[in-house]
Amino acid sequence: MALATDPKRAPLGALLGKAGASLTSAQTDLGLGVGLASGMVMSEATLEIKAAVSRNSTGELEIEPLSSAHLAGALNASAVSTIRVNFVATAATPNAASGSDGTTTPVKNRDEIIKNFRQRDDLLALERVLGPLQVNASFLAGSQRWLVNAVDADGRLVREQLLSD
């Protein structure tokens, strides 16, 4: 990564690298503390910047933020560029072992998932109001997650959640 010779300017590649790293960091932090896997929470994001773009002595594109002087008319409007970057997330390869037929087997068992789900404060509160709930869990091999749902005595879905394996 090259350093900018003018402190007002920054290499475009450095900006995009930092923006991508920041998005990755935010993506990783999503879902922490609530039992969600965050590998694919946000599938797409767009960063749009209006700036003056030029080339440095090595030919690398640099951007210069627009100041109030620029916006007041000291800058030719045709010198302003719009930089739009689309970040698209991709799913990571599942970590669990794959069977010989290509299917993925869960690490946790169904009873363990159901037991942990039944102990959640929100589900206990719903059972106090609605009465006993039937909890079902299905493993979704493609995403390495469990789809867990709770239905009341009338068969109405009252809670559904994806839990990481």
Side-chain angles (χ1 to χ4, degrees), residues 1-114:
M1 183 182 318
L3 296 175
T5 54
D6 182 344
K8 294 179 190 173
R9 295 175 183 239
L12 180 58
L15 171 73
L16 298 179
K18 293 287 186 183
S22 178
L23 182 64
T24 299
S25 175
Q27 181 79 0
T28 302
D29 291 343
L30 287 172
L32 291 180
V34 292
L36 296 176
S38 61
M40 202 60 177
V41 174
M42 191 178 346
S43 63
E44 188 174 334
T46 301
L47 170 66
E48 187 171 307
I49 302 167
K50 299 242 186 241
V53 178
S54 61
R55 290 196 184 272
N56 64 16
S57 60
T58 64
E60 182 178 23
L61 284 177
E62 291 183 331
I63 62 166
E64 181 178 348
L66 299 177
S67 67
S68 57
H70 290 130
L71 299 175
L75 180 69
N76 181 346
S78 64
V80 176
S81 297
T82 300
I83 301 164
R84 183 175 297 123
V85 182
N86 292 315
F87 296 94
V88 179
T90 57
T93 304
N95 294 332
S98 293
S100 59
D101 61 355
T103 60
T104 306
T105 56
V107 175
K108 299 176 184 173
N109 68 43
R110 183 179 322 280
D111 294 337
E112 179 183 356
I113 293 292
I114 290 173

Side-chain angles (χ1 to χ4, degrees), residues 86-151:
N86 292 315
F87 296 94
V88 179
T90 57
T93 304
N95 294 332
S98 293
S100 59
D101 61 355
T103 60
T104 306
T105 56
V107 175
K108 299 176 184 173
N109 68 43
R110 183 179 322 280
D111 294 337
E112 179 183 356
I113 293 292
I114 290 173
K115 178 183 174 192
N116 290 339
F117 189 72
R118 283 192 169 282
Q119 294 172 350
R120 294 172 42 106
D121 291 339
D122 61 331
L123 199 67
L124 293 171
L126 282 171
E127 283 196 304
R128 283 192 296 272
V129 174
L130 300 173
L133 299 174
Q134 179 182 350
V135 177
N136 301 303
S138 301
F139 182 67
L140 307 174
S143 64
Q144 285 302 116
R145 293 186 172 101
W146 289 89
L147 176 62
V148 186
N149 59 47
V151 295

